[in-house]
Amino acid sequence: DGKWVVYTINPQEGDNELVIQSADAQYKKVVARGYSAKITEDSRFVVFKIRPFYKDTREARIKKKKPEDFPKDSIAIIELGKEEIWKKARVKAYSIPEKSSAWVAYHLEKPLPDTTKSKKTEPNSKTIDSLKKVIDSLRLLNQELQVKKKKKNKDDSPDAFDFQHSLSDFADEDPSSSAAEAGTDLVLRKMDGGEEKVFKNIVYFSFNKTARKLLLHQGKNVLLYDIQKKMADTLSRGGNEFKNFALAEDGSQVAYVAERDSSAKALQKFYKLWYFKEGMDSAMLLCDKNKEGMKIGMTVSENGSLSFSKSGKRLFFGTAPIQPPKDTTLVEIDKVNVDIWHYKDDYLQTRQLNQLQNEMRRTYTAMFDLNTQTVLQLATPELPVVFQTNEGDGENFVGVTDYGRRIESQWTGNTLKDIYSINLLTGEKKLVKKDLDGVINSQWMSPTGKYILWWENKSKNYFVYDGDSIRNITSKIKVPLWDEEHDSPSDPNPYGVMRWEEGDRNVFIYDRYGVWKVHPGNGNNPLLLIDNRKNKIQYRYVQTDPEERFIKPSQKLVFRSFDEKTKQSGFWENLYDAKLDYLDGWSAINENE
């Protein structure tokens, strides 16, 4: 609600301070070593972590202690305006829901080992008798195994085979190699009242936006906990690895990537995409390398990010080329590593080596349509970048590629790019602009995806594509829309785009000092929304709503001003009226900051 400010003061060396202060300066509290603070949505609580003392951490580094032996963080909660602090030691992470202020979840470090020594007791006669019986049983078992071993070459004994098979199965369940060992306690705490629930052996956790559900990766299982009903659904039971969890905004859908079939020593592993929706008994296999629509030679990648579209009807995931199994025919000492570079390679060898790990983890965006149960590969090695529209629900996405033209970046500093329009219904990729020498980014696409917007360096203008044709929309603007102080032998960058208007009606474009309102259909009669070039005062829009996607009619606009001559800055606000050519009546929030 803007009534509270939280900030940290960080020295170059030593302990920092967290400051919690009311905007009217009537309340101020300083907490030593506090950081990573978040204010709850209702502006009632602030949650933060507390670092260990700097000297203790420094001493642990000097002594080269293991990470688990380093001093650990704590979590703290303060009700704003009050003095009392609630703390909990040895916490490695915490989370609060984006659209709820009722809960906080914090993940504990591994508990410290018990240093208390148990008292030694002398074994009594009953204990000795029990041990003797166990020894006798082991001797008999050993004799039976020796007899079966001798018969092995003469007769395939099913009993012997089953026994050995059961031993190997038991060995695979060695808890030391289990994912369960990585988990620690997670505590779900109610902000008001302090009610807590502990979940054991948690590896990963996540709230949905409204805190209806809490997603839990518990050992080798995946759970979805209903916070209101206080019940958990088991989505998957058993598996080797679970990664890249995605939870729909309302908590009704879950997706994740898992590898559940291979042994721990497998030379090649294949991950699969799993999906759960409210009402299902458990998660179902949604997609693997054999799913219709998956490109031959591609598989679901454990490195790709997962996300649902705004409506929840689409699921986006990453794919990658299938890697060959690890070569075990040579011992490590006989292996030879050679770096080979060719002058036609896209990048210099130094860059290739620098980006090697990123390239090995590179993925290509694919979409699973949950209504039609079909897969559509959007990005490919030839078209690696895809921009979503309409929060993932747009009819057309935008693809950008510089494939085949990367060598020239070694001396030009940039590359020419092709722009494609991707139809999400048919999968058709239509070439919109070839060899673009300019700028395009995901933030410039119109909200519904109707228009594709880009900047061209040579003409120094913005262009749009509306599905049929390309047009210059800023040729009528006679002031520079590019960096007027650019002083290097290259093309200057544009000042950029402020926002689109709701319904893709207009786009707001910056010059050095102000904002132009431009119609994407023709670009005729651009209107200057706010400007003070005469006095050399710059204006830049301030987004006050983190979820804002476009400017609405009758929306209050806030701008930050900066006077190039006096270096003063301030904030100004006005009500946007889509019918007006120019906004008068600006009121200063803080004219001389």
Side-chain angles (χ1 to χ4, degrees):
D1 58 7
K3 295 180 180 179
W4 298 94
V5 180
V6 181
Y7 58 94
T8 55
I9 301 174
N10 301 310
Q12 184 172 346
E13 185 174 309
D15 294 319
N16 73 292
E17 292 180 339
L18 178 77
V19 181
I20 305 167
Q21 184 172 324
S22 60
D24 61 8
Q26 297 301 306
Y27 171 94
K28 183 177 181 179
K29 185 174 184 64
V30 179
V31 182
R33 308 186 313 283
Y35 78 107
S36 186
K38 294 180 182 178
I39 298 175
T40 55
E41 189 200 23
D42 61 357
S43 301
R44 184 178 174 187
F45 297 94
V46 58
V47 186
F48 55 95
K49 295 172 76 175
I50 299 176
R51 288 189 176 98
F53 285 102
Y54 175 80
K55 62 179 181 63
D56 294 340
T57 303
R58 183 174 183 273
E59 185 179 352
R61 287 198 184 100
I62 292 172
K63 293 182 178 179
K64 297 182 179 180
K65 291 186 176 181
K66 297 178 180 178
E68 59 267 23
D69 295 329
F70 267 62
K72 303 300 182 183
D73 290 347
S74 302
I75 188 176
I77 302 175
I78 294 179
E79 187 170 356
L80 292 167
K82 297 186 178 181
E83 294 297 318
E84 184 179 356
I85 304 179
W86 176 88
K87 297 180 182 178
K88 180 70 175 181
R90 295 184 60 79
V91 171
K92 56 185 175 182
Y94 80 88
S95 178
I96 59 174
E98 191 175 327
K99 294 293 184 182
S100 173
S101 52
W103 302 92
V104 60
Y106 59 90
H107 204 185
L108 295 171
E109 298 276 0
K110 288 184 178 181
L112 293 169
D114 187 3
T115 57
T116 58
K117 295 182 179 179
S118 58
K119 294 181 180 180
K120 294 182 178 180
T121 56
E122 293 295 329
N124 54 34
S125 58
K126 290 184 178 179
T127 303
I128 294 173
D129 290 338
S130 298
L131 289 173
K132 287 181 177 179
K133 291 178 180 179
V134 171
I135 292 170
D136 291 337
S137 298
L138 289 174
R139 285 174 177 167
L140 290 172
L141 179 60
N142 184 53
Q143 291 173 4
E144 291 176 5
L145 287 174
Q146 293 299 325
V147 171
K148 290 178 179 179
K149 187 176 181 180
K150 290 178 181 178
K151 291 182 178 180
K152 186 175 181 181
N153 294 331
K154 299 179 181 179
D155 176 37
D156 288 334
S157 170
D159 291 337
F161 174 80
D162 290 340
F163 182 73
Q164 294 296 331
H165 185 66
S166 64
L167 280 179
S168 63
D169 287 347
F170 184 76
D172 285 342
E173 294 299 322
D174 179 7
S176 64
S177 62
S178 170
E181 289 295 302
T184 57
D185 288 356
L186 177 79
V187 182
L188 178 64
R189 179 181 176 86
K190 197 168 186 178
M191 285 289 195
D192 193 359
E195 173 190 342
E196 291 190 341
K197 179 174 179 60
V198 180
F199 300 91
K200 296 290 186 181
N201 201 24
I202 300 301
V203 180
Y204 168 88
F205 68 100
S206 175
F207 285 108
N208 77 301
K209 273 193 174 183
T210 57
R212 285 184 59 240
K213 300 292 179 69
L214 180 63
L215 181 63
L216 302 169
H217 174 195
Q218 185 180 56
K220 291 189 174 185
N221 304 322
V222 179
L223 311 175
L224 187 61
Y225 181 74
D226 189 310
I227 295 176
Q228 300 301 322
K229 297 179 181 178
K230 299 183 179 181
M231 295 174 57
D233 284 327
T234 302
L235 311 190
S236 291
R237 190 183 300 278
N240 299 318
E241 288 186 83
F242 296 91
K243 294 185 176 183
N244 305 332
F245 296 89
L247 187 57
E249 286 191 10
D250 61 0
S252 63
Q253 299 180 96
V254 178
Y256 48 91
V257 171
E259 195 286 295
R260 306 179 65 187
D261 305 320
S262 303
S263 65
K265 297 180 180 179
L267 300 179
Q268 195 175 31
K269 296 182 179 181
F270 293 102
Y271 290 81
K272 299 177 182 179
L273 183 61
W274 294 81
Y275 170 78
F276 174 85
K277 187 174 183 179
E278 278 185 332
M280 296 171 60
D281 291 333
S282 60
M284 60 177 284
L285 174 61
L286 199 64
C287 181
D288 62 8
K289 63 184 178 66
N290 298 316
K291 175 72 176 179
E292 183 180 355
M294 287 286 289
K295 298 293 184 182
I296 296 175
M298 303 286 280
T299 186
V300 175
S301 174
E302 73 275 24
N303 298 313
S305 61
L306 264 63
S307 64
F308 288 97
S309 64
K310 182 72 173 180
S311 67
K313 296 178 181 179
R314 294 171 174 173
L315 174 62
F316 300 96
F317 63 101
T319 63
I322 296 174
Q323 297 299 316
K326 185 178 179 181
D327 185 4
T328 58
T329 59
L330 291 175
V331 294
E332 195 67 31
I333 196 172
D334 290 336
K335 291 182 180 179
V336 179
N337 294 318
V338 180
D339 292 327
I340 301 175
W341 177 81
H342 191 277
Y343 75 97
K344 290 186 178 180
D345 283 356
D346 284 345
Y347 304 110
L348 293 174
Q349 184 69 353
T350 50
R351 183 172 179 182
Q352 289 184 33
L353 293 173
N354 182 263
Q355 296 293 323
L356 179 61
Q357 293 304 316
N358 289 336
E359 288 298 323
M360 292 177 66
R361 293 192 293 268
R362 181 179 293 278
T363 62
Y364 301 95
T365 304
M367 181 196 73
F368 194 97
D369 190 311
L370 295 168
N371 288 335
T372 62
Q373 295 291 296
T374 56
V375 174
L376 179 61
Q377 185 69 50
L378 301 175
T380 63
E382 294 75 27
L383 188 65
V385 178
V386 173
F387 300 149
Q388 296 184 16
T389 60
N390 199 21
E391 298 183 282
D393 289 313
E395 292 183 6
N396 295 283
F397 284 6
V398 181
V400 181
T401 180
D402 60 357
Y403 183 79
R405 285 154 295 177
R406 295 167 183 160
I407 297 176
E408 64 190 51
S409 66
Q410 297 172 20
W411 60 86
T412 63
N414 56 19
T415 57
L416 301 179
K417 299 173 179 64
D418 294 341
I419 303 174
Y420 287 83
S421 176
I422 306 173
N423 188 302
L424 271 289
L425 299 179
T426 64
E428 178 189 4
K429 297 175 181 178
K430 180 181 179 181
L431 180 63
V432 172
K433 173 68 178 179
K434 187 170 181 61
D435 293 337
L436 169 67
D437 179 10
V439 181
I440 182 172
N441 65 51
S442 60
Q443 304 302 316
W444 292 3
M445 303 302 104
S446 67
T448 67
K450 180 179 179 180
Y451 296 103
I452 302 174
L453 175 70
W454 66 84
W455 166 267
E456 294 192 8
N457 287 329
K458 299 307 177 186
S459 65
K460 292 184 172 58
N461 276 290
Y462 288 93
F463 291 76
V464 296
Y465 172 75
D466 62 4
D468 293 318
S469 59
I470 297 173
R471 64 178 61 89
N472 185 332
I473 63 170
T474 54
S475 60
K476 301 289 186 181
I477 298 176
K478 301 307 178 184
V479 299
L481 299 176
W482 62 92
D483 185 358
E484 296 181 30
E485 297 185 321
H486 184 74
D487 59 355
S488 69
S490 60
D491 292 308
N493 285 324
Y495 286 107
V497 175
M498 181 185 109
R499 278 291 186 279
W500 282 80
E501 189 177 344
E502 185 178 19
D504 298 351
R505 285 189 290 269
N506 293 286
V507 60
F508 301 99
I509 294 174
Y510 287 122
D511 66 15
R512 181 173 179 176
Y513 296 104
V515 179
W516 294 83
K517 175 182 172 182
V518 182
H519 192 283
N522 50 44
N524 293 330
N525 304 318
L527 304 174
L528 196 54
L529 187 70
I530 182 173
D531 170 71
N532 203 336
R533 181 174 288 270
K534 178 181 177 180
N535 296 313
K536 296 187 181 301
I537 297 177
Q538 301 175 4
Y539 290 91
R540 290 296 180 264
Y541 178 66
V542 178
Q543 180 179 338
T544 56
D545 179 2
E547 294 188 348
E548 176 188 277
R549 296 174 49 234
F550 42 74
I551 301 298
K552 299 178 180 179
S554 302
Q555 175 181 331
K556 182 181 290 185
L557 303 181
V558 177
F559 284 84
R560 184 187 184 100
S561 65
F562 175 74
D563 191 317
E564 292 182 347
K565 294 181 292 185
T566 66
K567 311 306 179 186
Q568 288 183 333
S569 63
F571 291 93
W572 301 76
E573 67 177 3
N574 201 344
L575 196 65
Y576 172 62
D577 188 340
K579 298 178 182 179
L580 294 180
D581 294 347
Y582 187 87
L583 294 186
D584 292 321
W586 289 93
S587 59
I589 302 174
N590 180 1
E591 187 173 355
N592 297 308
E593 182 190 286

